Amino acid sequence: MPLELDSLRKAVAALDDVLKKCDDEAFMQSLDSVAQNAMRSGAIQHFEFTYELCWKFMKRWLQNNVSPETAEGSTRRHLFRYAAEKGLIDDVDRWMRHHDARNLTSHTYNPETAQQVFEAAHDFIGDAKSLLAALEARND
């Protein structure tokens, strides 16, 4: 049974778009500090949401294409390991770093932590796009 990937496609595209806008120095310089902060906060929220969708889609794919027990009750590391074994992701440790950054999102009131998560979102977007492509290629 194929997965309905539209929500993941939209989330990845939205994160990519907001990161590109945040990386546009001319645009960001045209904003006051409140608007700049809002843009970065928006990127962090998009990262948080997109990360959540990514691991849930990994889990659903494994349940549908390997076995329901494969991902049920697994730790995040085990889930990522199974996903790597099946060719959905390349690097378990990198996905664990994304997971750690996601866990920091509840502490983004701290400017240094917010900056860490914002930078992590930039590291994550390529992996999110790769996962989406792998799911699309194996979605049967």
Side-chain angles (χ1 to χ4, degrees), residues 3-132:
L3 296 174
E4 175 52 57
L5 297 172
D6 283 346
S7 61
L8 184 58
R9 282 186 197 102
K10 289 176 184 174
V12 169
L15 175 59
D16 193 37
D17 288 345
V18 75
L19 288 173
K20 286 177 182 171
K21 206 65 168 163
C22 286
D23 291 341
D24 181 340
E25 282 191 45
F27 171 74
M28 290 298 283
Q29 292 302 318
S30 74
L31 303 175
D32 64 28
S33 62
V34 173
Q36 288 176 10
N37 186 51
M39 286 294 297
R40 286 189 196 96
S41 295
I44 290 168
Q45 285 186 311
H46 279 295
F47 161 69
E48 180 178 20
F49 182 74
T50 305
Y51 169 80
E52 291 294 322
L53 279 177
C54 283
W55 81 259
K56 288 177 182 177
F57 271 100
M58 275 183 220
K59 182 177 178 178
R60 284 185 207 144
W61 189 92
L62 290 165
Q63 289 171 328
N64 290 350
N65 294 281
V66 179
S67 75
E69 299 79 30
T70 300
E72 203 58 43
S74 293
T75 65
R76 203 58 54 90
R77 181 171 290 283
H78 284 111
L79 179 74
F80 294 153
R81 193 170 293 132
Y82 293 140
E85 288 171 8
K86 297 302 176 185
L88 295 179
I89 64 173
D90 294 327
D91 188 326
V92 173
D93 291 331
R94 198 164 59 229
W95 276 89
M96 285 306 300
R97 286 191 298 275
H98 300 325
H99 177 68
D100 292 342
R102 162 55 185 96
N103 285 341
L104 289 175
T105 60
S106 61
H107 303 287
T108 57
Y109 55 84
N110 176 317
E112 291 81 25
T113 303
Q115 185 60 33
Q116 275 184 290
V117 176
F118 180 69
E119 290 169 11
H122 283 83
D123 294 337
F124 171 73
I125 190 62
D127 289 330
K129 288 178 180 180
S130 293
L131 172 63
L132 177 58

